[in-house]
Amino acid sequence: MATRLLRTNFIRRPHCFSSLRPVGSPTVTASTAAVPEILSFGQQAPEPPLHHPKHNQTHNDIDLSDQARLFASVPTPDLLRSTAVLHAAAIGPMVDVGSWVMSSKLMDNALTRGMVLGLVKGTFYDHFCAGEDASAAAERVRSVYEATGLKGMLVYGVEHADDAASCDDNMQHFIRTIEAAKSLPTSHFSSVVVKITAICPISLLKRVSDLLRWEHKSKSFKLSWKLKSFTVFSDSSPLYHTNSEPEPLTAEEERELEAAHVRIQDICRKCQESNVPLLIDAEDTILQPAIDYMAYSSAIMFNGDKDRPIVYNTIQAYLRDAGERLHLVVQEAEKESVPMGFKLVRGAYMCSEGKLADSLGHKSPVHDTLQNTHACYNDCMTFLMEKASNGSGFGVVLATHNADSGRLASKKASELNINKKNGTIEFAQLYGMSDALSFGLKRAGFNVSKYMPFGPVETAIPYLVRRAYENRGMMASGALDRQLLRMELKRRLMAVIA
């Protein structure tokens, strides 16, 4: 079997962002400091001010200024561990050394390997991951909800598979994840997450994406195997990946594609029977057309409940064509009376997108500036919230570490009179990151979830390395969380001494 482990794109990987630069030099405030901003590589973001200025708050505000209230539900031992882990992850040399150790020959020796994995498990793993299997992850979801009121998204930590045996094995893990979610009270969890790359060989997804692009380029080009779906391209979508007419799928490839459809349909059917929403993660643009195609064909089959969709697809707002594609899909779904669910993220694969586009002599499909990405995200967010407010069966997951987007969404929810508790709109952040924002949104009355990956410790290492890089000192959201944790620990210590 050939299975690779989680490379989450829930928010983004931060350490390749040299191609996207902010316009001007915005001041870091309590609002912007809660964002893992996209900065030039190596650029250091200043820590937010220790004392946030007070202002006349309304019921729309997300208050991140009172750390005592934000972290009131977190036991002191957990605060100490979180503080230690986030501060360690913010030390660049320590992260670099840790990354080197994970890929060194030290991991080939049973003794040193056991020591390293034991250290990782008690620190970074326990902070960023939910457990080693589905049942342990479900218990972590339960304990987090009972302590904080934050829900859980269960994520089996697998990235992609290269053969049918691995795809079948991964599908069974996803089925067990759904069963674990079903065992929890519905108030405790929000969804399970699947990556199409884990249940369809990545080489086949590339082939299908090529053929879909060529079909979009040449209207006379027909794909006999294609299921009913929604559009996956707009006029501004990147098509440079496919410069010549691809060879048709072979008979074996068609059988592999049919098997992949069966896998995703079995997963969707299990979710439908269990009343567990399914979020489908996004990938690079070289693969995304095939993923969108499979996601939307699944939505057409399984989103039969007019009040709540089961299948959610992911929109990456850092792509130039994100808004156009979203509008086209919504228009088609409304025409077909298909309820839709969307997870909105900023994006994850900026580095690989830029390199590939440049190698092919084309402009990156990612927005030129950070401000454009923020504007696209907020425009898509507003559009989806407006659709969700009219009772048309839309579901929206706003996956963001950006407090400004949270404030805008809160204000918009009030303007549209959206019920914050019925699950139509919810927020999500990575487990172990941006807890201040999560608690602030929760206190404002929203459903808030944590994206909670699980799997054996050694297989979670790539994911943990990325979380460590995200928490380096250049990440403003990490700086704010670390600062608030320090302030709360100091407050509790002073209270004990007094």
Side-chain angles (χ1 to χ4, degrees):
M1 285 190 230
T3 298
R4 299 188 185 179
L5 280 302
L6 187 72
R7 180 185 66 181
T8 180
N9 91 315
F10 183 72
I11 306 294
R12 62 177 151 272
R13 288 176 296 169
H15 45 284
C16 293
F17 292 144
S18 58
S19 62
L20 189 57
R21 301 178 185 275
V23 175
S25 302
T27 302
V28 177
T29 65
S31 171
T32 59
V35 190
E37 298 286 17
I38 305 173
L39 301 172
S40 300
F41 181 71
Q43 180 178 347
Q44 188 80 10
E47 295 230 346
L50 283 174
H51 301 288
H52 303 285
K54 299 292 182 180
H55 58 280
N56 293 327
Q57 294 184 349
T58 71
H59 65 285
N60 296 324
D61 281 336
I62 301 169
D63 184 10
L64 304 182
S65 65
D66 188 343
Q67 84 284 348
R69 295 178 66 189
L70 289 173
F71 294 107
S73 62
V74 183
T76 299
D78 291 349
L79 278 180
L80 284 167
R81 188 191 68 191
S82 296
T83 304
V85 169
L86 292 178
H87 276 76
I91 302 172
M94 182 176 293
V95 174
D96 293 335
V97 170
S99 300
W100 174 83
V101 169
M102 297 300 183
S103 58
S104 73
K105 291 184 179 180
L106 291 174
M107 300 300 288
D108 297 333
N109 180 279
L111 177 61
T112 54
R113 180 183 182 84
M115 293 174 61
V116 170
L117 292 181
L119 177 62
V120 169
K121 185 178 189 308
T123 53
F124 292 91
Y125 179 88
D126 283 345
H127 183 79
F128 293 114
C129 298
E132 296 199 49
D133 55 35
S135 59
E139 283 306 306
R140 182 68 64 89
V141 169
R142 186 189 301 274
S143 64
V144 168
Y145 179 83
E146 290 175 353
T148 67
L150 300 177
K151 297 185 176 184
M153 292 178 173
L154 284 177
V155 188
Y156 171 56
V158 63
E159 181 183 54
H160 70 249
D162 296 321
D163 55 62
S166 296
C167 291
D168 288 337
D169 182 62
N170 292 337
M171 186 196 72
Q172 292 305 315
H173 280 286
F174 287 126
I175 294 296
R176 287 194 285 274
T177 303
I178 298 165
E179 291 171 347
K182 184 182 177 182
S183 72
L184 292 165
T186 56
S187 60
H188 288 39
F189 74 92
S190 62
S191 56
V192 297
V193 181
V194 67
K195 294 180 79 71
I196 297 294
T197 50
I199 56 174
C200 182
I202 197 167
S203 58
L204 181 57
L205 288 172
K206 289 179 180 178
R207 291 273 287 123
V208 171
S209 293
D210 275 337
L211 289 162
L212 290 170
R213 275 188 287 265
W214 197 257
E215 181 189 48
H216 183 74
K217 284 184 174 184
S218 176
K219 302 306 179 185
S220 62
F221 188 74
K222 302 299 179 184
L223 301 172
S224 59
W225 43 261
K226 188 177 178 183
L227 300 178
K228 184 176 181 180
S229 186
F230 296 136
T231 185
V232 299
F233 300 108
S234 71
D235 290 340
S236 62
S237 293
L239 304 175
Y240 53 77
H241 310 80
T242 310
N243 293 317
S244 59
E245 182 174 340
E247 291 294 322
L249 293 182
T250 65
E252 177 61 26
E253 286 175 324
E254 288 200 28
R255 285 192 291 271
E256 288 182 354
L257 181 59
E258 175 59 26
H261 277 298
V262 170
R263 293 185 195 104
I264 187 62
Q265 289 167 17
D266 284 349
I267 292 170
C268 290
R269 188 173 295 108
K270 182 71 172 179
C271 283
Q272 189 178 58
E273 293 169 354
S274 305
N275 194 30
V276 174
L278 178 70
L279 273 57
I280 296 177
D281 264 344
E283 284 279 351
D284 308 76
T285 55
I286 198 171
L287 304 175
Q288 195 58 43
I291 294 170
D292 284 341
Y293 156 69
M294 295 183 73
Y296 293 139
S297 65
S298 299
I300 290 172
M301 292 182 188
F302 293 97
N303 285 357
D305 188 335
K306 300 303 180 183
D307 296 322
R308 186 189 189 195
I310 288 293
V311 181
Y312 287 62
N313 196 24
T314 298
I315 299 294
Q316 299 183 97
Y318 75 164
L319 296 174
R320 300 172 192 275
D321 67 337
E324 291 181 65
R325 286 188 294 108
L326 176 60
H327 280 73
L328 288 171
V329 169
V330 169
Q331 184 178 16
E332 293 178 8
E334 289 180 332
K335 184 177 179 180
E336 297 288 334
S337 298
V338 177
M340 289 300 297
F342 292 97
K343 181 180 74 173
L344 183 62
V345 304
R346 277 175 168 76
Y349 307 114
M350 184 179 304
C351 189
S352 57
E353 294 288 10
K355 287 180 178 178
L356 178 60
D358 186 64
S359 71
L360 297 174
H362 288 270
K363 189 175 183 179
S364 172
V366 176
H367 287 298
D368 289 330
T369 68
L370 173 61
Q371 282 77 2
N372 287 345
T373 296
H374 286 336
C376 182
Y377 187 96
N378 291 337
D379 286 347
C380 291
M381 177 180 71
T382 300
F383 172 72
L384 288 172
M385 292 182 71
E386 289 172 348
K387 289 295 180 182
S389 70
N390 65 17
S392 56
F394 272 78
V396 182
V397 176
L398 301 174
T400 181
H401 291 171
N402 188 309
D404 283 334
S405 292
R407 295 179 197 279
L408 177 61
S410 181
K411 181 179 179 182
K412 195 68 181 178
S414 179
E415 292 174 357
L416 296 171
N417 199 29
I418 290 176
N419 186 334
K420 296 180 180 180
K421 292 296 186 181
N422 67 2
T424 300
I425 302 291
E426 66 175 293
F427 288 88
Q429 289 81 41
L430 292 167
Y431 183 58
M433 292 182 65
S434 294
D435 287 347
L437 178 59
S438 298
F439 292 140
L441 289 163
K442 175 64 181 174
R443 291 190 64 84
F446 290 98
N447 283 310
V448 184
S449 297
K450 285 296 192 178
Y451 181 98
M452 302 175 73
F454 67 88
V457 178
E458 57 190 286
T459 61
I461 286 174
Y463 178 80
L464 295 174
V465 170
R466 282 188 292 278
R467 299 292 74 77
Y469 275 106
E470 285 189 14
N471 277 283
R472 278 186 181 224
M474 72 176 183
M475 302 306 292
S477 98
L480 179 64
D481 268 6
R482 293 193 302 272
Q483 184 182 53
L484 292 175
L485 287 167
R486 290 197 306 267
M487 292 169 64
E488 177 58 8
L489 283 172
K490 180 179 179 180
R491 186 195 67 80
R492 294 187 186 187
L493 177 61
M494 298 302 294
V496 170
I497 294 175

